[in-house]
Amino acid sequence: MDESTSKTAQAVSDSNGLTLTKQTPEQLVARAIAPVKGEFLRPPPVRASSATQNDDVSEQTDDKATVQSGGLVKEKKSKRQLKRERRQEQKSAKNLCPEVAKTGDISSCPYNDKCRFSHDFEAFKAQKPADLEGECPFFKGGGSCPYGLACRFSGTHTDDMPPSDLKGRRKSSEINGLSKDVQKLLWKNKMHFPKADAKLTALELWENKDKVTEKATGGLLFYRFDLLFFLLYYAIFLFSFNTRALSKSKFESSAEVTKDDGVCDTDQVVEKSCIQAEPEAGNEVIPPETDQSLKLHPREKMLIDFRDKLYLAPLTTVGNLPFRRVCKVLGADVTCGEMAMCTNLLQGQASEWALLRRHSSEDLFGVQICGAHPDTVARTVELIEQECTIDFIDINMGCPIDIVVNKGAGSALLTKPMRMQNIVEVASGTVDKPITVKVRTAYFEGKKRIHSIIADMGSWGASAVTIHGRSRQQRYSKLADWDYVYQCARKAPSTLQVAGNGDIFSFVDWNNHKAECSELATCMIARGALIKPWIFTEIKEQRHWDISSGERLNILKDFVHFGLEHWGSDTKGVETTRRFLLEWLSYTCRYIPVGLLEVIPQRLNWRPPSYYGRDDLETLMASDSAADWVRISEMLLGKVPDGFRFAPKHKSNAYDRAENG
């Protein structure tokens, strides 16, 4: 049904429960209010006061918190105190030793009394929550459960199952884990980055090296060149080779060169054959790191064709591995991991490296990194290429989050085009994997900049660039500027693929953008996939899917199953899965079923009024209350623990907040 089909007026209630003047669907659309059919509208639910409501959904605070200036402030604890509390928590009865849990035998632990976990099997059984309904996700997949008696589905375990093997299980489905050996090298500052250091030297990006490195890595100074490398590079820089002689003598002694007719010393000057003490006029010295005859040209490194592929954007928090698996099942072609900070990766933080994990179903996968300085980015891409199996590396230069921007990374780089160029050049020159870039239109509203540099980005070494049609200052307050995205795509060289991003919420939006600008390689889908991940199916099948509440619940069940495989089927894994499920539900509540709308398709900026669904489950899924999201999680993961509270990191109504523009 299009906008002209129905002229039926309807009543809409505002957030205070007052009925607004009856308006036509066209008038509602003009005000960015979703035109829900009149028979489904209802007054907003009566809620408790804001203070009580915030208490219901807020994160659980420390008992010793004190009230200052009308706000709740947590008591600050020292690192030693936090460490002691973690140790005590590990020793509690609810943290049973993994070896004891797998075998049921206390003597199976090789650490005995020195083990940091509890060996009190009876106390663990006494406090363990009841098993969940269903069967163990690991046994269901044909393997063995690595959590043994700690599994929340342990009642379904049978004696004839093969012995558990956690490492074998993980390797069969997920890759890109951080090995302990590499982590220890990163912790001790003993990891070497020869490719990155060579490229940084060739591009003369070592100025004020120690100060820049210390600032970028939080005080960790990286390693200097090996003395042998310095001598070799210095010798090569002093003397000129022809291309053939250089490729043959790169690893030979720089003291003498063998010729077809004998050996000549470096002191001799033989025309066009031997190393010369001084370079000839007009014969510029080309070090091996910049010799284009030895390095792949950026055009030769463009190994991925993004054209017309459905690209799931890297999404912070919600774009985790289980969510990406859901999107792959529903039709996504390209997936990308959550944004990881370069400094955290170089420090060996396990939580940051977890963002790089890849599932076997992700056949076209990239990772996204964010850094403020060329040296940290260069070392990070070299480390990732060495330790991970990926198809491309995306550099984020558009993140608007304050904590990222204040460090000079993300969208802060949009104010420093020379820094952008240095980062892309050094990253592209360090690794052979394709380097892609994600940017916004500008940092400040009204001061667009990408159109002036996009023609050069291909020569920097980028294989593709994604343009989000908003500035950093704008955030999500207005619709994306796709006309500007088209303008940039038309100015880009043919070797640089351009993807657009912003407000794609249906196959109609996808078709319109592709038709308006044939130069666009593809469109990246971000919030649209968070609210309705079946958008990939809609685009491929070219239809509006009036999905039922039961089908939506099945998608959530798939996410829970994937989450238990990824985070674990013990109590900790169940609660981690619940937390990420609730984060996702804070977005999915904004979806309005197709059958309830007067005008289709739904637009991403429409504010949904309060409405009834076609059944109780659909009504529950439409609620913007955290308490209702918790109820949905209990349908899939059992009762929440005592004292459980939840507040989403990403506010589902953030597009309506005054501070966002």
Side-chain angles (χ1 to χ4, degrees), residues 364-419:
L364 194 52
F365 174 77
V367 296
Q368 186 182 73
I369 61 173
C370 184
H373 301 281
D375 58 341
T376 55
V377 173
R379 288 163 172 159
T380 302
V381 296
E382 180 177 354
L383 185 61
I384 290 175
E385 185 181 51
Q386 175 183 332
E387 299 298 324
C388 300
T389 302
I390 55 172
D391 297 303
F392 63 94
I393 300 175
D394 187 64
I395 302 176
N396 187 308
M397 296 184 178
C399 179
I401 301 175
D402 291 340
I403 193 173
V404 174
V405 172
N406 292 340
K407 293 180 179 179
S411 56
L413 292 170
L414 296 173
T415 63
K416 301 176 180 179
M418 285 303 298
R419 179 79 62 83

Side-chain angles (χ1 to χ4, degrees), residues 243-480:
T243 302
R244 183 175 179 182
L246 175 62
S247 62
K248 290 182 178 180
S249 62
K250 183 177 180 182
F251 298 104
E252 294 178 0
S253 171
S254 58
E256 58 183 19
V257 176
T258 303
K259 289 186 58 183
D260 294 339
D261 56 351
V263 178
C264 66
D265 296 330
T266 55
D267 294 334
Q268 298 175 332
V269 179
V270 182
E271 184 178 2
K272 296 182 182 180
S273 61
C274 294
I275 302 176
Q276 301 179 20
E278 296 292 339
E280 293 180 350
N283 187 13
E284 185 179 357
V285 177
I286 304 178
E289 292 80 7
T290 58
D291 187 351
Q292 297 302 312
S293 65
L294 302 178
K295 295 290 291 182
L296 286 175
H297 190 276
R299 297 178 184 176
E300 298 178 284
K301 294 174 62 174
M302 192 177 68
L303 306 177
I304 298 180
D305 185 7
F306 291 102
R307 297 189 182 279
D308 299 325
K309 289 183 172 63
L310 302 184
Y311 191 164
L312 172 64
L315 302 163
T316 304
T317 304
V318 190
N320 45 66
L321 185 144
F323 176 78
R324 298 198 304 269
R325 289 184 65 182
V326 168
C327 292
K328 284 295 295 182
V329 171
L330 293 171
D333 297 319
V334 184
T335 55
C336 188
E338 302 174 65
M339 182 184 75
M341 298 301 296
C342 291
T343 53
N344 295 340
L345 294 174
L346 292 174
Q347 291 171 6
Q349 292 186 13
S351 59
E352 205 76 10
W353 275 87
L355 304 179
L356 308 183
R357 294 194 70 87
R358 173 184 189 172
H359 190 264
S360 57
S361 63
E362 298 180 272
D363 49 352
L364 194 52
F365 174 77
V367 296
Q368 186 182 73
I369 61 173
C370 184
H373 301 281
D375 58 341
T376 55
V377 173
R379 288 163 172 159
T380 302
V381 296
E382 180 177 354
L383 185 61
I384 290 175
E385 185 181 51
Q386 175 183 332
E387 299 298 324
C388 300
T389 302
I390 55 172
D391 297 303
F392 63 94
I393 300 175
D394 187 64
I395 302 176
N396 187 308
M397 296 184 178
C399 179
I401 301 175
D402 291 340
I403 193 173
V404 174
V405 172
N406 292 340
K407 293 180 179 179
S411 56
L413 292 170
L414 296 173
T415 63
K416 301 176 180 179
M418 285 303 298
R419 179 79 62 83
M420 292 176 64
Q421 177 179 349
N422 292 339
I423 288 176
V424 175
E425 283 184 343
V426 74
S428 175
T430 301
V431 298
D432 294 330
K433 296 294 182 182
I435 297 296
T436 65
V437 182
K438 189 171 189 291
V439 297
R440 286 178 175 249
T441 59
Y443 187 91
F444 297 106
E445 184 65 16
K447 296 184 178 180
K448 296 182 174 63
R449 143 163 298 171
I450 302 303
H451 66 280
S452 62
I453 62 175
I454 194 168
D456 300 322
M457 295 182 76
S459 61
W460 296 350
S463 298
V465 58
T466 300
I467 305 174
H468 186 175
R470 292 182 173 89
S471 65
R472 189 263 174 176
Q473 188 179 28
Q474 178 186 346
R475 296 290 181 94
Y476 297 96
S477 60
K478 299 177 183 178
L479 293 175

Side-chain angles (χ1 to χ4, degrees), residues 24 86 143 154 192 195 258 352 385 387 398 402 444 450 464 489 548 569 585 590 597 615 660:
T24 63
R86 285 196 299 268
S154 59
H192 294 277
K195 292 183 180 179
T258 303
E352 205 76 10
E385 185 181 51
E387 299 298 324
D402 291 340
F444 297 106
I450 302 303
S548 67
S569 59
L585 290 175
R590 291 173 53 187
L597 288 171
D615 53 50
N660 286 337

Side-chain angles (χ1 to χ4, degrees), residues 20-178:
L20 303 176
T21 306
K22 290 186 176 181
Q23 302 178 57
T24 63
E26 292 77 6
Q27 291 173 325
L28 294 173
V29 169
R31 297 184 56 192
I33 298 176
V36 176
K37 294 178 180 178
E39 61 266 31
F40 296 104
L41 290 173
R42 68 168 182 175
V46 178
R47 302 236 176 101
S49 63
S50 59
T52 306
Q53 184 178 350
N54 289 337
D55 181 67
D56 290 339
V57 301
S58 65
E59 291 284 357
Q60 188 174 9
T61 56
D62 190 84
D63 293 337
K64 296 182 180 180
T66 58
V67 178
Q68 298 179 2
S69 305
L72 202 59
V73 181
K74 291 183 178 180
E75 181 191 26
K76 291 185 178 180
K77 300 179 181 180
S78 66
K79 292 183 178 180
R80 180 177 297 179
Q81 184 178 0
L82 292 172
K83 184 177 181 179
R84 182 167 58 250
E85 291 179 357
R86 285 196 299 268
R87 291 284 178 84
Q88 294 173 350
E89 179 73 12
Q90 285 180 334
K91 275 291 186 181
S92 65
K94 65 180 182 181
N95 283 317
L96 187 66
C97 174
E99 288 296 327
V100 175
K102 284 189 289 186
T103 62
D105 182 10
I106 297 178
S107 62
S108 62
C109 178
Y111 301 102
N112 298 320
D113 295 338
K114 295 182 180 180
C115 181
R116 58 180 178 171
F117 297 102
S118 171
H119 285 183
D120 193 341
F121 185 67
E122 295 301 326
F124 173 78
K125 289 196 299 183
Q127 63 81 42
K128 181 186 175 184
D131 281 358
L132 301 177
E133 295 182 1
E135 56 182 314
C136 177
F138 296 99
F139 284 160
K140 187 176 180 180
S144 57
C145 180
Y147 298 95
L149 298 171
C151 177
R152 293 291 298 275
F153 303 89
S154 59
T156 64
H157 294 181
T158 57
D159 296 335
D160 58 345
M161 290 294 181
S164 59
D165 182 5
L166 176 59
K167 293 183 179 179
R169 176 69 192 176
R170 292 295 186 189
K171 288 182 180 178
S172 65
S173 59
E174 296 181 12
I175 55 176
N176 293 354
L178 176 62

